[in-house]
PDB file of all heavy atoms in Angstrom:
ATOM      1  N   VAL A   1      62.329  58.951 167.194  1.00 98.00           N
ATOM      2  CA  VAL A   1      60.920  58.842 166.779  1.00 98.00           C
ATOM      3  C   VAL A   1      60.806  58.305 165.360  1.00 98.00           C
ATOM      4  O   VAL A   1      61.498  58.702 164.451  1.00 98.00           O
ATOM      5  CB  VAL A   1      60.264  60.253 166.842  1.00 98.00           C
ATOM      6  CG1 VAL A   1      58.848  60.210 166.280  1.00 98.00           C
ATOM      7  CG2 VAL A   1      60.242  60.743 168.301  1.00 98.00           C
ATOM      8  N   VAL A   2      59.825  57.374 165.220  1.00 98.00           N
ATOM      9  CA  VAL A   2      59.418  56.892 163.905  1.00 98.00           C
ATOM     10  C   VAL A   2      57.934  57.325 163.719  1.00 98.00           C
ATOM     11  O   VAL A   2      57.105  56.954 164.542  1.00 98.00           O
ATOM     12  CB  VAL A   2      59.512  55.374 163.778  1.00 98.00           C
ATOM     13  CG1 VAL A   2      58.972  54.914 162.438  1.00 98.00           C
ATOM     14  CG2 VAL A   2      60.953  54.919 163.927  1.00 98.00           C
ATOM     15  N   LEU A   3      57.681  58.133 162.700  1.00 98.00           N
ATOM     16  CA  LEU A   3      56.344  58.646 162.460  1.00 98.00           C
ATOM     17  C   LEU A   3      55.663  57.710 161.419  1.00 98.00           C
ATOM     18  O   LEU A   3      56.002  57.730 160.224  1.00 98.00           O
ATOM     19  CB  LEU A   3      56.356  60.076 161.960  1.00 98.00           C
ATOM     20  CG  LEU A   3      55.004  60.766 161.685  1.00 98.00           C
ATOM     21  CD1 LEU A   3      54.131  60.743 162.934  1.00 98.00           C
ATOM     22  CD2 LEU A   3      55.232  62.192 161.233  1.00 98.00           C
ATOM     23  N   CYS A   4      54.684  56.943 161.874  1.00 98.00           N
ATOM     24  CA  CYS A   4      54.000  55.989 160.974  1.00 98.00           C
ATOM     25  C   CYS A   4      52.688  56.551 160.470  1.00 98.00           C
ATOM     26  O   CYS A   4      52.076  57.438 161.128  1.00 98.00           O
ATOM     27  CB  CYS A   4      53.703  54.689 161.774  1.00 98.00           C
ATOM     28  SG  CYS A   4      55.165  53.889 162.464  1.00 98.00           S
ATOM     29  N   HIS A   5      52.256  56.070 159.318  1.00 94.00           N
ATOM     30  CA  HIS A   5      51.039  56.610 158.690  1.00 94.00           C
ATOM     31  C   HIS A   5      50.510  55.585 157.697  1.00 94.00           C
ATOM     32  O   HIS A   5      50.981  54.420 157.677  1.00 94.00           O
ATOM     33  CB  HIS A   5      51.360  57.957 158.000  1.00 94.00           C
ATOM     34  CG  HIS A   5      52.627  57.900 157.204  1.00 94.00           C
ATOM     35  ND1 HIS A   5      52.787  57.258 156.003  1.00 94.00           N
ATOM     36  CD2 HIS A   5      53.859  58.437 157.531  1.00 94.00           C
ATOM     37  CE1 HIS A   5      53.995  57.429 155.586  1.00 94.00           C
ATOM     38  NE2 HIS A   5      54.693  58.114 156.475  1.00 94.00           N
ATOM     39  N   THR A   6      49.534  55.970 156.876  1.00 90.00           N
ATOM     40  CA  THR A   6      48.924  55.000 155.960  1.00 90.00           C
ATOM     41  C   THR A   6      49.860  54.491 154.895  1.00 90.00           C
ATOM     42  O   THR A   6      49.627  53.433 154.283  1.00 90.00           O
ATOM     43  CB  THR A   6      47.717  55.654 155.282  1.00 90.00           C
ATOM     44  OG1 THR A   6      48.127  56.911 154.641  1.00 90.00           O
ATOM     45  CG2 THR A   6      46.597  55.945 156.277  1.00 90.00           C
ATOM     46  N   GLY A   7      50.969  55.195 154.703  1.00 93.00           N
ATOM     47  CA  GLY A   7      51.960  54.751 153.729  1.00 93.00           C
ATOM     48  C   GLY A   7      53.075  53.885 154.295  1.00 93.00           C
ATOM     49  O   GLY A   7      53.981  53.456 153.608  1.00 93.00           O
ATOM     50  N   THR A   8      53.009  53.644 155.610  1.00 97.00           N
ATOM     51  CA  THR A   8      54.042  52.823 156.280  1.00 97.00           C
ATOM     52  C   THR A   8      53.911  51.380 155.771  1.00 97.00           C
ATOM     53  O   THR A   8      52.848  50.784 155.810  1.00 97.00           O
ATOM     54  CB  THR A   8      53.875  52.873 157.815  1.00 97.00           C
ATOM     55  OG1 THR A   8      54.042  54.206 158.248  1.00 97.00           O
ATOM     56  CG2 THR A   8      54.926  51.993 158.501  1.00 97.00           C
ATOM     57  N   ARG A   9      55.055  50.807 155.357  1.00 96.00           N
ATOM     58  CA  ARG A   9      55.025  49.510 154.707  1.00 96.00           C
ATOM     59  C   ARG A   9      54.645  48.387 155.662  1.00 96.00           C
ATOM     60  O   ARG A   9      53.841  47.511 155.298  1.00 96.00           O
ATOM     61  CB  ARG A   9      56.401  49.218 154.085  1.00 96.00           C
ATOM     62  CG  ARG A   9      56.498  47.924 153.308  1.00 96.00           C
ATOM     63  CD  ARG A   9      57.796  47.813 152.564  1.00 96.00           C
ATOM     64  NE  ARG A   9      57.978  48.957 151.625  1.00 96.00           N
ATOM     65  CZ  ARG A   9      59.117  49.220 151.005  1.00 96.00           C
ATOM     66  NH1 ARG A   9      60.225  48.493 151.279  1.00 96.00           N
ATOM     67  NH2 ARG A   9      59.209  50.206 150.187  1.00 96.00           N
ATOM     68  N   ASP A  10      55.211  48.349 156.836  1.00 97.00           N
ATOM     69  CA  ASP A  10      54.908  47.293 157.766  1.00 97.00           C
ATOM     70  C   ASP A  10      54.711  47.906 159.168  1.00 97.00           C
ATOM     71  O   ASP A  10      55.633  47.996 159.954  1.00 97.00           O
ATOM     72  CB  ASP A  10      56.049  46.276 157.794  1.00 97.00           C
ATOM     73  CG  ASP A  10      55.729  44.984 158.572  1.00 97.00           C
ATOM     74  OD1 ASP A  10      54.773  45.038 159.394  1.00 97.00           O
ATOM     75  OD2 ASP A  10      56.398  43.970 158.399  1.00 97.00           O
ATOM     76  N   LEU A  11      53.489  48.340 159.406  1.00 98.00           N
ATOM     77  CA  LEU A  11      53.165  49.049 160.659  1.00 98.00           C
ATOM     78  C   LEU A  11      53.498  48.205 161.848  1.00 98.00           C
ATOM     79  O   LEU A  11      54.114  48.654 162.845  1.00 98.00           O
ATOM     80  CB  LEU A  11      51.730  49.481 160.658  1.00 98.00           C
ATOM     81  CG  LEU A  11      51.248  50.171 161.956  1.00 98.00           C
ATOM     82  CD1 LEU A  11      51.989  51.472 162.118  1.00 98.00           C
ATOM     83  CD2 LEU A  11      49.716  50.417 161.891  1.00 98.00           C
ATOM     84  N   ALA A  12      53.126  46.944 161.840  1.00 98.00           N
ATOM     85  CA  ALA A  12      53.322  46.060 162.971  1.00 98.00           C
ATOM     86  C   ALA A  12      54.798  45.964 163.347  1.00 98.00           C
ATOM     87  O   ALA A  12      55.185  45.973 164.506  1.00 98.00           O
ATOM     88  CB  ALA A  12      52.763  44.664 162.709  1.00 98.00           C
ATOM     89  N   ALA A  13      55.658  45.844 162.326  1.00 98.00           N
ATOM     90  CA  ALA A  13      57.084  45.741 162.585  1.00 98.00           C
ATOM     91  C   ALA A  13      57.642  47.015 163.225  1.00 98.00           C
ATOM     92  O   ALA A  13      58.498  46.964 164.120  1.00 98.00           O
ATOM     93  CB  ALA A  13      57.861  45.453 161.265  1.00 98.00           C
ATOM     94  N   GLU A  14      57.165  48.184 162.768  1.00 98.00           N
ATOM     95  CA  GLU A  14      57.659  49.436 163.364  1.00 98.00           C
ATOM     96  C   GLU A  14      57.223  49.567 164.789  1.00 98.00           C
ATOM     97  O   GLU A  14      57.967  49.955 165.672  1.00 98.00           O
ATOM     98  CB  GLU A  14      57.141  50.608 162.517  1.00 98.00           C
ATOM     99  CG  GLU A  14      57.614  50.661 161.102  1.00 98.00           C
ATOM    100  CD  GLU A  14      59.106  50.972 160.982  1.00 98.00           C
ATOM    101  OE1 GLU A  14      59.755  51.328 162.011  1.00 98.00           O
ATOM    102  OE2 GLU A  14      59.672  50.830 159.873  1.00 98.00           O
ATOM    103  N   VAL A  15      55.946  49.248 165.055  1.00 98.00           N
ATOM    104  CA  VAL A  15      55.402  49.388 166.403  1.00 98.00           C
ATOM    105  C   VAL A  15      56.060  48.393 167.352  1.00 98.00           C
ATOM    106  O   VAL A  15      56.342  48.723 168.510  1.00 98.00           O
ATOM    107  CB  VAL A  15      53.848  49.187 166.360  1.00 98.00           C
ATOM    108  CG1 VAL A  15      53.301  49.115 167.797  1.00 98.00           C
ATOM    109  CG2 VAL A  15      53.166  50.283 165.599  1.00 98.00           C
ATOM    110  N   ARG A  16      56.347  47.206 166.870  1.00 98.00           N
ATOM    111  CA  ARG A  16      56.906  46.133 167.717  1.00 98.00           C
ATOM    112  C   ARG A  16      58.285  46.499 168.253  1.00 98.00           C
ATOM    113  O   ARG A  16      58.724  45.976 169.282  1.00 98.00           O
ATOM    114  CB  ARG A  16      56.957  44.823 166.932  1.00 98.00           C
ATOM    115  CG  ARG A  16      57.034  43.576 167.805  1.00 98.00           C
ATOM    116  CD  ARG A  16      56.870  42.323 166.962  1.00 98.00           C
ATOM    117  NE  ARG A  16      55.482  42.177 166.434  1.00 98.00           N
ATOM    118  CZ  ARG A  16      55.181  42.147 165.162  1.00 98.00           C
ATOM    119  NH1 ARG A  16      56.118  42.251 164.239  1.00 98.00           N
ATOM    120  NH2 ARG A  16      53.922  41.998 164.822  1.00 98.00           N
ATOM    121  N   GLN A  17      59.004  47.386 167.584  1.00 98.00           N
ATOM    122  CA  GLN A  17      60.341  47.778 168.037  1.00 98.00           C
ATOM    123  C   GLN A  17      60.305  48.926 169.058  1.00 98.00           C
ATOM    124  O   GLN A  17      61.360  49.272 169.633  1.00 98.00           O
ATOM    125  CB  GLN A  17      61.163  48.247 166.819  1.00 98.00           C
ATOM    126  CG  GLN A  17      61.403  47.171 165.791  1.00 98.00           C
ATOM    127  CD  GLN A  17      62.258  47.719 164.649  1.00 98.00           C
ATOM    128  OE1 GLN A  17      63.439  48.094 164.814  1.00 98.00           O
ATOM    129  NE2 GLN A  17      61.667  47.789 163.477  1.00 98.00           N
ATOM    130  N   ALA A  18      59.138  49.484 169.272  1.00 98.00           N
ATOM    131  CA  ALA A  18      59.058  50.751 170.029  1.00 98.00           C
ATOM    132  C   ALA A  18      58.983  50.500 171.538  1.00 98.00           C
ATOM    133  O   ALA A  18      58.265  49.589 171.998  1.00 98.00           O
ATOM    134  CB  ALA A  18      57.831  51.539 169.579  1.00 98.00           C
ATOM    135  N   ASP A  19      59.642  51.368 172.295  1.00 98.00           N
ATOM    136  CA  ASP A  19      59.534  51.385 173.742  1.00 98.00           C
ATOM    137  C   ASP A  19      58.265  52.158 174.171  1.00 98.00           C
ATOM    138  O   ASP A  19      57.732  51.931 175.260  1.00 98.00           O
ATOM    139  CB  ASP A  19      60.772  52.018 174.390  1.00 98.00           C
ATOM    140  CG  ASP A  19      62.058  51.364 173.938  1.00 98.00           C
ATOM    141  OD1 ASP A  19      62.226  50.155 174.228  1.00 98.00           O
ATOM    142  OD2 ASP A  19      62.872  52.037 173.299  1.00 98.00           O
ATOM    143  N   ILE A  20      57.887  53.122 173.341  1.00 98.00           N
ATOM    144  CA  ILE A  20      56.700  53.916 173.589  1.00 98.00           C
ATOM    145  C   ILE A  20      55.877  53.958 172.283  1.00 98.00           C
ATOM    146  O   ILE A  20      56.466  54.201 171.201  1.00 98.00           O
ATOM    147  CB  ILE A  20      57.059  55.357 174.010  1.00 98.00           C
ATOM    148  CG1 ILE A  20      57.855  55.337 175.311  1.00 98.00           C
ATOM    149  CG2 ILE A  20      55.806  56.203 174.143  1.00 98.00           C
ATOM    150  CD1 ILE A  20      58.448  56.700 175.699  1.00 98.00           C
ATOM    151  N   VAL A  21      54.589  53.690 172.382  1.00 98.00           N
ATOM    152  CA  VAL A  21      53.724  53.749 171.222  1.00 98.00           C
ATOM    153  C   VAL A  21      52.622  54.778 171.503  1.00 98.00           C
ATOM    154  O   VAL A  21      52.017  54.779 172.559  1.00 98.00           O
ATOM    155  CB  VAL A  21      53.047  52.371 170.955  1.00 98.00           C
ATOM    156  CG1 VAL A  21      52.119  52.471 169.741  1.00 98.00           C
ATOM    157  CG2 VAL A  21      54.087  51.299 170.773  1.00 98.00           C
ATOM    158  N   VAL A  22      52.445  55.678 170.562  1.00 98.00           N
ATOM    159  CA  VAL A  22      51.349  56.658 170.640  1.00 98.00           C
ATOM    160  C   VAL A  22      50.440  56.440 169.446  1.00 98.00           C
ATOM    161  O   VAL A  22      50.855  56.659 168.312  1.00 98.00           O
ATOM    162  CB  VAL A  22      51.878  58.109 170.682  1.00 98.00           C
ATOM    163  CG1 VAL A  22      50.706  59.094 170.828  1.00 98.00           C
ATOM    164  CG2 VAL A  22      52.871  58.315 171.806  1.00 98.00           C
ATOM    165  N   ALA A  23      49.222  56.024 169.712  1.00 98.00           N
ATOM    166  CA  ALA A  23      48.292  55.698 168.637  1.00 98.00           C
ATOM    167  C   ALA A  23      47.307  56.857 168.476  1.00 98.00           C
ATOM    168  O   ALA A  23      46.498  57.130 169.359  1.00 98.00           O
ATOM    169  CB  ALA A  23      47.543  54.411 168.959  1.00 98.00           C
ATOM    170  N   ALA A  24      47.391  57.526 167.310  1.00 97.00           N
ATOM    171  CA  ALA A  24      46.528  58.679 167.063  1.00 97.00           C
ATOM    172  C   ALA A  24      46.060  58.674 165.625  1.00 97.00           C
ATOM    173  O   ALA A  24      46.141  59.671 164.903  1.00 97.00           O
ATOM    174  CB  ALA A  24      47.288  59.995 167.356  1.00 97.00           C
ATOM    175  N   ALA A  25      45.543  57.500 165.213  1.00 96.00           N
ATOM    176  CA  ALA A  25      45.115  57.324 163.825  1.00 96.00           C
ATOM    177  C   ALA A  25      43.630  57.400 163.633  1.00 96.00           C
ATOM    178  O   ALA A  25      43.130  57.602 162.504  1.00 96.00           O
ATOM    179  CB  ALA A  25      45.600  55.972 163.286  1.00 96.00           C
ATOM    180  N   GLY A  26      42.848  57.248 164.703  1.00 93.00           N
ATOM    181  CA  GLY A  26      41.400  57.263 164.580  1.00 93.00           C
ATOM    182  C   GLY A  26      40.859  55.987 163.958  1.00 93.00           C
ATOM    183  O   GLY A  26      39.811  56.023 163.280  1.00 93.00           O
ATOM    184  N   GLN A  27      41.537  54.878 164.205  1.00 94.00           N
ATOM    185  CA  GLN A  27      41.082  53.565 163.686  1.00 94.00           C
ATOM    186  C   GLN A  27      40.887  52.624 164.884  1.00 94.00           C
ATOM    187  O   GLN A  27      41.860  52.175 165.478  1.00 94.00           O
ATOM    188  CB  GLN A  27      42.106  52.962 162.714  1.00 94.00           C
ATOM    189  CG  GLN A  27      42.287  53.793 161.436  1.00 94.00           C
ATOM    190  CD  GLN A  27      43.208  53.136 160.463  1.00 94.00           C
ATOM    191  OE1 GLN A  27      43.255  51.905 160.366  1.00 94.00           O
ATOM    192  NE2 GLN A  27      43.930  53.911 159.696  1.00 94.00           N
ATOM    193  N   PRO A  28      39.654  52.306 165.225  1.00 94.00           N
ATOM    194  CA  PRO A  28      39.383  51.502 166.404  1.00 94.00           C
ATOM    195  C   PRO A  28      40.152  50.168 166.419  1.00 94.00           C
ATOM    196  O   PRO A  28      40.128  49.454 165.401  1.00 94.00           O
ATOM    197  CB  PRO A  28      37.882  51.260 166.326  1.00 94.00           C
ATOM    198  CG  PRO A  28      37.357  52.398 165.546  1.00 94.00           C
ATOM    199  CD  PRO A  28      38.424  52.702 164.553  1.00 94.00           C
ATOM    200  N   GLY A  29      40.828  49.864 167.524  1.00 94.00           N
ATOM    201  CA  GLY A  29      41.512  48.607 167.711  1.00 94.00           C
ATOM    202  C   GLY A  29      42.702  48.372 166.817  1.00 94.00           C
ATOM    203  O   GLY A  29      43.152  47.229 166.613  1.00 94.00           O
ATOM    204  N   LEU A  30      43.258  49.455 166.252  1.00 96.00           N
ATOM    205  CA  LEU A  30      44.361  49.311 165.301  1.00 96.00           C
ATOM    206  C   LEU A  30      45.600  48.655 165.913  1.00 96.00           C
ATOM    207  O   LEU A  30      46.244  47.809 165.295  1.00 96.00           O
ATOM    208  CB  LEU A  30      44.730  50.712 164.769  1.00 96.00           C
ATOM    209  CG  LEU A  30      45.939  50.761 163.833  1.00 96.00           C
ATOM    210  CD1 LEU A  30      45.696  50.050 162.538  1.00 96.00           C
ATOM    211  CD2 LEU A  30      46.316  52.236 163.554  1.00 96.00           C
ATOM    212  N   ILE A  31      45.910  49.011 167.152  1.00 98.00           N
ATOM    213  CA  ILE A  31      47.087  48.448 167.829  1.00 98.00           C
ATOM    214  C   ILE A  31      46.686  47.279 168.701  1.00 98.00           C
ATOM    215  O   ILE A  31      45.869  47.436 169.629  1.00 98.00           O
ATOM    216  CB  ILE A  31      47.754  49.549 168.722  1.00 98.00           C
ATOM    217  CG1 ILE A  31      48.094  50.797 167.876  1.00 98.00           C
ATOM    218  CG2 ILE A  31      49.026  48.986 169.341  1.00 98.00           C
ATOM    219  CD1 ILE A  31      49.009  50.584 166.719  1.00 98.00           C
ATOM    220  N   THR A  32      47.181  46.133 168.358  1.00 98.00           N
ATOM    221  CA  THR A  32      46.810  44.879 169.073  1.00 98.00           C
ATOM    222  C   THR A  32      48.003  44.355 169.834  1.00 98.00           C
ATOM    223  O   THR A  32      49.139  44.772 169.627  1.00 98.00           O
ATOM    224  CB  THR A  32      46.316  43.843 168.076  1.00 98.00           C
ATOM    225  OG1 THR A  32      47.290  43.631 167.066  1.00 98.00           O
ATOM    226  CG2 THR A  32      45.003  44.286 167.423  1.00 98.00           C
ATOM    227  N   ALA A  33      47.739  43.379 170.745  1.00 98.00           N
ATOM    228  CA  ALA A  33      48.784  42.857 171.618  1.00 98.00           C
ATOM    229  C   ALA A  33      49.990  42.300 170.877  1.00 98.00           C
ATOM    230  O   ALA A  33      51.117  42.451 171.287  1.00 98.00           O
ATOM    231  CB  ALA A  33      48.183  41.814 172.531  1.00 98.00           C
TER     232      ALA A  33
END
């Protein structure tokens, strides 16, 4: 598990490596294709 947050340096890079993504930030449309 990688726990990402507002202090994560490169969110897109972290998410792009994941087999499973759980988006629970409360920011509409944060995770894009």
Side-chain angles (χ1 to χ4, degrees):
V1 174
V2 176
L3 182 57
C4 303
H5 43 75
T6 53
T8 299
R9 184 172 300 169
D10 190 342
L11 178 63
E14 296 292 350
V15 172
R16 201 172 289 119
Q17 297 180 65
D19 305 299
I20 299 171
V21 180
V22 181
Q27 296 185 32
L30 175 65
I31 306 301
T32 55

